[in-house]
């Protein structure tokens, strides 16, 4: 259910010409933040879906820490986004498709397994991976 909502957010990004990635922050079964990729339209290199969802959730919670929350995102996070999840104290990350080149949770650096962080995030990958991967593939095929 939540990953379906994240996929809908990703489609909003694609409609704006952004790489289609969507994200939700969920706490106690309730969506407290949402976002999609907006670096181009916002002229902000940090405006990835995860960061936008975390900003929204933090503002709604009036707290930069989001303990107990789960972040759902359609694509495996990059280095910046994973670091932001650590700083926000996200408890759980659920992602859709792997990102073989820039994904750092499982594909590359395996940051969730590193022991030097002062916070540990539970990770589940591959949720609706086919749908999420197809969105991105079709987006780039249209741009070629």
């Amino acid at each position: 259910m939540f990953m379906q909502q994240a996929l809908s957010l990703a489609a909003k990004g694609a409609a704006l010409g952004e790489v289609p990635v969507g994200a939700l922050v969920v706490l106690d079964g309730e969506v407290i933040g949402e976002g999609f990729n907006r670096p181009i339209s916002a002229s902000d290199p940090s405006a990835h879906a995860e960061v936008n969802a975390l900003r929204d959730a933090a503002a709604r919670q009036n707290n930069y820490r989001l303990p107990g929350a789960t972040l759902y995102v359609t694509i495996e996070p990059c280095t910046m986004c994973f670091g932001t999840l650590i700083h926000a104290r996200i408890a759980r990350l659920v992602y859709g498709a792997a990102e073989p080149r820039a994904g750092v949770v499982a594909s590359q650096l395996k940051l969730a397994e590193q022991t030097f962080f002062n916070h540990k995030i539970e990770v589940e990958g591959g949720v609706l991976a086919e749908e999420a991967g197809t969105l991105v593939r079709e987006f780039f095929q249209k741009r070629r």
Side-chain angles (χ1 to χ4, degrees), residues 1 21 48 58 65 75 85 99 102-103 108 114 123 126-127 138:
M1 173 178 105
V21 180
H48 288 196
R65 299 282 167 100
I75 301 293
L85 296 175
E99 212 304 12
Q108 292 297 332
Q114 301 305 316
V123 175
V127 176
E138 287 177 352

Side-chain angles (χ1 to χ4, degrees), residues 43-111:
S43 298
D44 179 356
S46 69
H48 288 196
E50 299 94 323
V51 172
N52 289 329
L54 290 168
R55 286 175 177 159
D56 186 31
R60 289 188 200 189
Q61 297 293 299
N62 199 32
N63 191 347
Y64 75 109
R65 299 282 167 100
L66 302 166
T70 298
L71 183 117
Y72 291 82
V73 63
T74 57
I75 301 293
E76 180 184 1
C78 71
T79 310
M80 175 187 69
C81 291
F82 189 81
T84 307
L85 296 175
I86 292 285
H87 287 291
R89 300 299 190 262
I90 289 293
R92 185 167 172 250
L93 164 67
V94 179
Y95 69 88
E99 212 304 12
R101 288 186 296 195
V104 298
V105 177
S107 296
Q108 292 297 332
L109 300 175
K110 300 185 181 359
L111 291 182

Side-chain angles (χ1 to χ4, degrees), residues 5-22 36 74 135:
Q5 287 179 255
L7 286 165
S8 293
L9 289 166
K12 284 185 180 182
L16 293 174
E18 303 278 4
V19 176
V21 180
F36 53 86
T74 57
L135 253 182

